[in-house]
Amino acid sequence: MDKDDVLADDFILSVSVNAHSEGRLLRPTLRSVVAAISEAQAAGRSCELVVVLDTATDDTLREARRWVEPGRSPVPVRLVEVSHGDAGASRNAGAEAARGKYVAFCDGDDLVSSNYLTAGIRALEDSAIPIIVHPATVVSFGARSAIWNIPATEDVDYLHLIRDNMWPSSSIAHRATYLDHPYRSIAPEKGFGPEDWLWNIETSIARVPHRPVPGTIFFYRVREHGGVNNRHGRSIMPSFDLTGLAEAMPTSTHEDPRLQAASSARDYLKRGARKGYKLVRPIARVVFAGLSQGSKERLYALAVNIYRGQSGRARTSRARQVPAAVVDHLLRAAEIEPAISWTANGYASVPVWETHEDNYSQLLVDLVGELQARSRAIVAVPWVGIGGADLVSLNYARALAATDRFSGGVTMLATYTPSKTLRHLVPPGVHFVQVSQGIRDLTPDQQRRILAQALLLVAPELVVSVNCFDVTNSLQLYGNQLASTMPIFLTLFAFDRIGAGYPVNPITDDSQRAYLDQISGIVTDNSVTAGIITEMLALEPAKVRVHHQPALPEVPGFRPGTRAYNNRFFSERNPFQVIWPHRLDKEKRP
């Protein structure tokens, strides 16, 4: 029996509205959806409204229950109460409860144009294959105004889909499509998502095309605080089939020849801007050394915006013609939700969102490609040189490679300054990967994201970060996601000193250090430092591990014939000197 035949005989379309804490904002959403359902029914399509209440607040429950009162709604309404606590599971519950051949999704604080459902059904009926349809245009209103023109799968490079979510959460498809490809359930506190972006990736891997429905509009409410757009401000994708996505989607988009000359000019300006940035960066580090990390990042963001404006990357807000049909939809939506009015009134000049072209995706794909083959264990370092920390990183790489579990699967990942790495020091049988320094052209947050995303996609069984500040920086934003996916150990052997002797270390540079509760532990090489770390960072003693570090892979035999064994060579004028005295400590293993 076809899945369309199961509970799918009652209606042509079920509209599932997901609600949680919208409260009074749920009313304009349901008014908008009911208006669209009424238009679809007038066109001969039977429909129902299903409101999925997932751990809903009291005011949200009250609002939803008004719609099942006798005579309140001109369309059939059902309430489905669940306690999943995440949007993906809520959508799955809506698809399972639906009695329509097709299902449409809408979040509880957004609105739809009155023709969206009718046109969406028609697009599905006209297609010879199962497809997923979306509104042609998304209009953001509220805390931010923007226009997002939705592309078809054929116009999306898979690199675009890795960098940005190319399709909105609102979609219409066969009910069987949602049952065959359920949303991955992701609890909000895990920090992964958004779930609709992950679903867009996974349905693209499954080669289900996404299509915009011409002439339709979706109104997306952007809140100042609360709501999914703020919750997902620092979420990140869990592991997915990157190779499958690349195979399923086109690798390049078609560019209008008329734009090539303009593109070349932008590239020229970008190269000039990069050269200027590299010249100014060392000076800026000195000038702004006293600022907090947050202040530095705000200044960096300002500089990036200026750079984008000079290189043609700024999102334009040039006035454009607004078709009469669009004005009609804007007027109807604003009559239901007046918060749309200011955005609608300035629609001709509202900025149009464009996918980012910052090379993030290609850098990520290249890094994951180098890591995936042999990275069951990763020893992360800034570089591989001849210092004490370099010695420790080589010890770990060598020791892990000698185990049955990780033999042939150990990678030394160097994230910074390739010229400082001495490749000949990398132990035999250990894979070496140098992160492209192209990531330094990304914003600080994107630098943190790209390394975290690469680790999540590769999913090693162990990460040991030896003074690798890039890993520490990534943990500041994505510690929960990384540490819940893989064991991560950091190292702290000593503090560098600045100014009059102020101690600094990548771990303590972060004033919050929330990730210390999530990682597997901090490793040092002696009990004195372990005690200092435990007290300074307020950690449980078990969180700090002491690993004695051999200075050499093999301890050389003693040579009694040398000068060190014969005191006749030493005198007051020619004293015996210990170059590195603390290495004589029994815990340092000279």
Side-chain angles (χ1 to χ4, degrees), residues 204-376:
S204 295
I205 293 171
R207 291 177 165 80
V208 183
H210 291 252
R211 301 272 191 274
V213 182
T216 60
I217 300 177
F218 187 80
F219 297 92
Y220 178 68
R221 188 188 302 271
V222 182
R223 303 197 208 179
E224 291 284 358
H225 50 83
V228 294
N229 53 301
N230 290 307
R231 190 179 74 228
H232 285 305
R234 286 187 172 177
S235 61
I236 194 169
M237 289 291 105
S239 182
F240 60 85
D241 184 2
L242 184 57
T243 302
L245 182 64
E247 292 173 350
M249 297 188 71
T251 56
S252 62
T253 54
H254 303 288
E255 185 175 14
D256 188 333
R258 294 172 297 178
L259 300 178
Q260 291 178 355
S263 178
S264 298
R266 286 197 301 270
D267 290 342
Y268 177 79
L269 287 169
K270 285 181 183 179
R271 287 193 295 270
R274 286 196 189 101
K275 288 179 181 178
Y277 167 71
K278 289 177 180 178
L279 289 172
V280 171
R281 183 169 58 182
I283 302 171
R285 282 178 176 166
V286 175
V287 173
F288 300 120
L291 296 179
S292 68
Q293 185 66 24
S295 298
K296 290 177 183 177
E297 292 189 7
R298 284 191 289 273
L299 284 171
Y300 188 98
L302 175 62
V304 167
N305 287 334
I306 293 171
Y307 156 69
R308 288 175 175 170
Q310 294 301 314
S311 60
R313 280 280 337 278
R315 294 166 185 160
T316 61
S317 57
R318 186 181 305 165
R320 53 190 172 272
Q321 288 292 110
V322 183
V326 172
V327 173
D328 182 56
H329 288 310
L330 295 173
L331 285 169
R332 291 190 189 188
E335 288 295 335
I336 295 174
E337 174 50 276
I340 294 172
S341 294
W342 288 106
T343 301
N345 187 59
Y347 190 89
S349 300
V350 170
V352 176
W353 181 87
E354 298 171 357
T355 186
H356 296 77
E357 299 290 352
D358 55 8
N359 209 32
Y360 170 94
S361 298
Q362 191 61 60
L363 289 166
L364 176 64
V365 169
D366 292 344
L367 179 56
V368 171
E370 289 193 73
L371 288 173
Q372 269 184 328
R374 298 172 55 186
S375 298
R376 293 196 301 279

Side-chain angles (χ1 to χ4, degrees), residues 12-13 36-37 39-41 43 45 47 102 104 112-127 131-136 171-173 211-217 329:
I12 293 295
L13 177 70
I37 288 176
E39 186 167 308
Q41 289 183 327
R45 308 303 202 280
C47 304
Y102 306 116
V112 300
S113 61
S114 59
N115 65 335
Y116 174 46
L117 300 178
T118 307
I121 294 170
R122 190 179 302 117
L124 292 169
E125 291 174 337
D126 291 345
S127 177
I131 60 174
I132 299 163
V133 300
H134 300 276
S171 61
I172 312 175
R211 301 272 191 274
V213 182
T216 60
I217 300 177
H329 288 310

Side-chain angles (χ1 to χ4, degrees), residues 10-68:
D10 296 345
F11 301 99
I12 293 295
L13 177 70
S14 296
V15 182
S16 178
V17 174
N18 294 74
H20 167 60
S21 60
E22 290 76 12
R24 65 172 57 87
L25 298 181
L26 182 59
R27 186 172 303 187
T29 295
L30 295 182
R31 289 181 63 204
S32 167
V33 169
V34 166
I37 288 176
S38 298
E39 186 167 308
Q41 289 183 327
R45 308 303 202 280
S46 59
C47 304
E48 67 163 345
L49 172 59
V50 179
V51 182
V52 178
L53 298 156
D54 188 357
T55 58
T57 57
D58 290 342
D59 53 348
T60 303
L61 284 169
R62 279 195 301 271
E63 181 59 37
R65 287 167 180 164
R66 292 180 72 256
W67 289 83
V68 293

Side-chain angles (χ1 to χ4, degrees), residues 106-160:
C106 179
D107 286 338
D109 54 359
D110 301 326
L111 292 84
V112 300
S113 61
S114 59
N115 65 335
Y116 174 46
L117 300 178
T118 307
I121 294 170
R122 190 179 302 117
L124 292 169
E125 291 174 337
D126 291 345
S127 177
I129 60 172
I131 60 174
I132 299 163
V133 300
H134 300 276
T137 303
V138 174
V139 177
S140 296
F141 70 96
R144 180 181 68 250
S145 294
I147 296 172
W148 177 15
N149 295 316
I150 306 304
T153 292
E154 292 78 9
D155 298 321
V156 174
D157 190 308
Y158 85 101
L159 294 174
H160 289 160

